[in-house]
Amino acid sequence: MNPVIILIILGVIAWLVNCLFGLMQIKDFNKNYIELRRIGKVAIGRKKGYIRAGTVVLILIDEEGTVISSRKMQGVSVFARVKEFKGLEGMSLSNITKEKLKGFNKLMRIAILDATKIYNTFKGGEDEKSHDEKEIDKQLVV
């Protein structure tokens, strides 16, 4: 058999396997989102990682906006799965700032601040952007 045809077949197989794992990852994310959504409101933040690792956070909040539980999906490949993480419980999502997130890595901080920004916008937050929101905007452009 021609080596070019073999390479094309291998490429198609690799693409199909990647699609399969991508679907499994989406299914895992949706399962976790639905599980949290049945309990209460969920704020979602993300930090895209085009070549580097990307991060998505799911933050479960009560009616007052206090964090009950949080989960993350962080990684470079389709093998990343949603996992629970600690450190935000009891905090008001509206009042989370960069300074309060010192224990998290940079990607997690950006994703959490993105969730905070989206939550504040959704609930009709302040008209004037805070210093932290302007910082988030700068980081999201990168």
Side-chain angles (χ1 to χ4, degrees), residues 70-137:
S70 46
R71 298 180 187 180
K72 68 176 179 175
M73 182 170 54
Q74 186 171 31
V76 179
S77 71
V78 292
F79 297 112
R81 294 290 177 253
V82 178
K83 299 173 186 161
E84 193 167 337
F85 71 94
K86 303 288 183 194
L88 299 178
E89 295 78 10
M91 295 175 126
S92 172
L93 188 59
S94 298
N95 299 328
I96 293 177
T97 61
K98 194 174 185 179
E99 289 75 33
K100 295 179 182 178
L101 301 175
K102 294 288 185 199
F104 297 100
N105 65 47
K106 182 179 179 181
L107 296 173
M108 286 286 293
R109 284 193 304 264
I110 294 171
I112 293 167
L113 291 172
D114 182 51
T116 301
K117 176 184 174 187
I118 292 169
Y119 173 74
N120 287 335
T121 302
F122 181 74
K123 76 167 194 160
E126 305 158 7
D127 291 333
E128 210 43 49
K129 285 187 175 183
S130 69
H131 173 69
D132 286 329
E133 288 177 315
K134 290 176 186 174
E135 188 66 29
I136 294 168
D137 288 343

Side-chain angles (χ1 to χ4, degrees), residues 33 36-44 58-66 68-69 93 119 122-123:
Y33 173 74
L36 292 176
R37 189 65 185 102
R38 286 185 177 145
I39 300 170
K41 295 179 182 177
V42 179
I44 300 173
L58 300 164
I59 303 173
L60 174 65
I61 55 173
D62 63 15
E63 292 299 319
E64 289 81 39
T66 304
I68 299 169
S69 176
L93 188 59
Y119 173 74
F122 181 74
K123 76 167 194 160

